[in-house]
Amino acid sequence: MPYRSDVEAADALKEVYQQIRQEIGKVIVGQDEVIKFVLISIFSNGHCLLVGVPGLAKTLLVQTIAQVLDLDFKRIQFTPDLMPSDIIGSEILGEDRNFKFIRGPVFSNIILADEINRTPPKTQAALLEAMQEKSVTAAGVTHTLGKPFFVLATQNPIEQEGTYPLPEAQLDRFMFNVALNYPSFKEELQIVKNTTSTAQVSVHKQLNAEQIIYFQQLVRNIPVSDNVLEYAVKLVAKTRPNSEFASPQVKRLLNWGAGPRASQFLVLGAKCHAVLNGKYSPDIEDVQAVAKPILSHRIVRSYHAEAEGLSAHDIIEQLF
């Protein structure tokens, strides 16, 4: 990359981020927060879980992002009969009487795991190694996935019949758990207008794989002050009922808190959020800006919290 310094590269990332948002906006109406968190997860080398009712353009959003970023894209429809080999691939006997490995759809840059909770835990577990180690093991041989690699999964929060809750280990591998809301009246009006005509919209590529990898490294190079680092780690510690930092309210409302991955993602997410907003180092506001979608799926509410109708976001808000 022809950037003379990290400051110049950070300015370039902020500029290209705005261009990416404009291109995605040609296809996706609204959902600004969702787009922001998905892009932060990509530049932070994380994964994202999108939770929303059908028809909110979750799949279209992922497809559009893959086009704008010029990345290989594969969609996997998770169903109860899906097998691990349908994701990672399998060995077959070739014409030369030797076994050879046929790669599955996981060997791509962006994986859309559509309705990920509709497949049994055995198949869900096929993604665990890919999401953490960026590799898959088949027949004792480890195959490295290409870079960059992201899993963007979707989930329907309403219809739970015939679904399998995601294991905690897999949930923890998602950097963000982002909830999609219904569009506003004006946004829905624009959506209907755009999708019921013959108009064709094309998006232009803004980045490629090599540039994304460069910007991922840039985000890691962003300096962070000790007080922001301590704030992020302490915020996560406050979610743990047995922690010295936990308040009596937290001990009453939570059964389980977030693990160390939450602290790591808070710092990485804050760094990326700072750069995308024109800052060269994150502050406490950047940590708070990314905290809810990072912590919400890592805490387990108690009976008291559920009885009082307190959501995970409500409890996190109290921690601030």
Side-chain angles (χ1 to χ4, degrees):
M1 291 287 132
Y3 300 118
R4 290 170 293 184
S5 66
D6 282 352
V7 170
E8 188 177 318
D11 291 336
L13 177 54
K14 178 191 174 186
E15 184 178 340
V16 78
Y17 168 71
Q18 298 297 338
Q19 294 170 353
I20 291 171
R21 293 288 296 265
Q22 288 177 6
E23 290 300 314
I24 295 173
K26 293 178 180 178
V27 179
I28 304 297
V29 178
Q31 305 292 5
D32 292 335
E33 282 287 294
V34 177
I35 296 170
K36 179 184 75 173
F37 286 129
V38 170
L39 292 176
I40 287 176
S41 72
I42 289 175
F43 289 124
S44 302
N45 199 16
H47 309 289
C48 194
L49 177 63
L50 305 177
V51 180
V53 298
L56 295 183
K58 299 185 293 293
T59 304
L60 180 61
L61 170 62
V62 179
Q63 290 175 333
T64 305
I65 288 175
Q67 290 176 359
V68 174
L69 299 182
D70 194 20
L71 296 174
D72 292 333
F73 167 76
K74 292 283 172 51
R75 178 178 182 270
I76 306 174
Q77 183 64 53
F78 278 64
T79 56
D81 59 348
L82 193 73
M83 298 296 291
S85 58
D86 296 327
I87 298 174
I88 64 175
S90 59
E91 284 201 327
I92 65 169
L93 189 63
E95 295 179 355
D96 57 358
R97 311 299 295 173
N98 291 319
F99 284 98
K100 61 179 180 179
F101 180 67
I102 302 299
R103 295 184 169 194
V106 76
F107 286 88
S108 190
N109 296 129
I110 292 184
I111 302 299
L112 171 59
D114 211 2
E115 295 194 274
I116 191 171
N117 58 333
R118 292 206 171 274
T119 196
K122 178 182 179 180
T123 305
Q124 291 176 6
L127 279 175
L128 290 178
E129 182 185 358
M131 293 175 71
Q132 184 62 31
E133 282 82 27
K134 306 296 192 326
S135 63
V136 297
T137 301
V141 179
T142 299
H143 306 267
T144 303
L145 299 172
K147 295 180 180 180
F149 174 76
F150 316 106
V151 173
L152 300 175
T154 68
Q155 191 170 306
N156 179 358
I158 297 178
E159 189 184 0
Q160 298 303 317
E161 186 176 347
T163 63
Y164 304 83
L166 293 185
E168 297 298 331
Q170 186 166 11
L171 269 179
D172 197 42
R173 281 166 167 77
F174 285 104
M175 179 177 185
F176 289 127
N177 179 3
V178 184
L180 284 81
N181 297 316
Y182 288 111
S184 67
F185 177 78
K186 287 185 177 179
E187 289 172 346
E188 189 163 353
L189 207 59
Q190 187 63 43
I191 291 169
V192 174
K193 183 179 178 181
N194 293 349
T195 56
T196 56
S197 68
T198 57
Q200 297 291 322
V201 178
S202 60
V203 296
H204 299 96
K205 298 177 177 61
Q206 298 297 323
L207 286 177
N208 56 35
E210 182 183 354
Q211 291 170 315
I212 292 170
I213 294 170
Y214 174 84
F215 285 130
Q216 286 176 341
Q217 190 59 47
L218 169 71
V219 168
R220 286 189 168 269
N221 289 341
I222 297 297
V224 55
S225 62
D226 288 343
N227 71 304
V228 174
L229 201 64
E230 289 173 7
Y231 178 82
V233 175
K234 190 176 289 186
L235 185 63
V236 174
K238 285 180 180 179
T239 67
R240 301 167 187 161
N242 60 348
S243 166
E244 60 180 301
F245 300 105
S247 67
Q249 184 79 333
V250 164
K251 292 179 180 179
R252 190 176 70 88
L253 297 177
L254 294 181
N255 288 335
W256 204 256
R261 269 202 193 101
S263 301
Q264 296 167 347
F265 283 141
L266 271 180
V267 173
L268 277 174
K271 286 183 176 186
C272 190
H273 187 271
V275 172
L276 299 184
N277 285 276
K279 294 183 282 189
Y280 304 117
S281 181
D283 52 31
I284 288 175
E285 285 72 22
D286 292 304
V287 176
Q288 293 177 344
V290 298
K292 288 181 181 179
I294 287 177
L295 296 176
S296 62
H297 58 300
R298 293 182 164 88
I299 60 178
V300 179
R301 293 176 300 154
S302 70
Y303 166 78
H304 299 289
E306 294 184 8
E308 294 173 21
L310 292 174
S311 68
H313 283 193
D314 295 330
I315 298 171
I316 296 166
E317 189 73 41
Q318 294 181 18
L319 300 179
F320 293 163

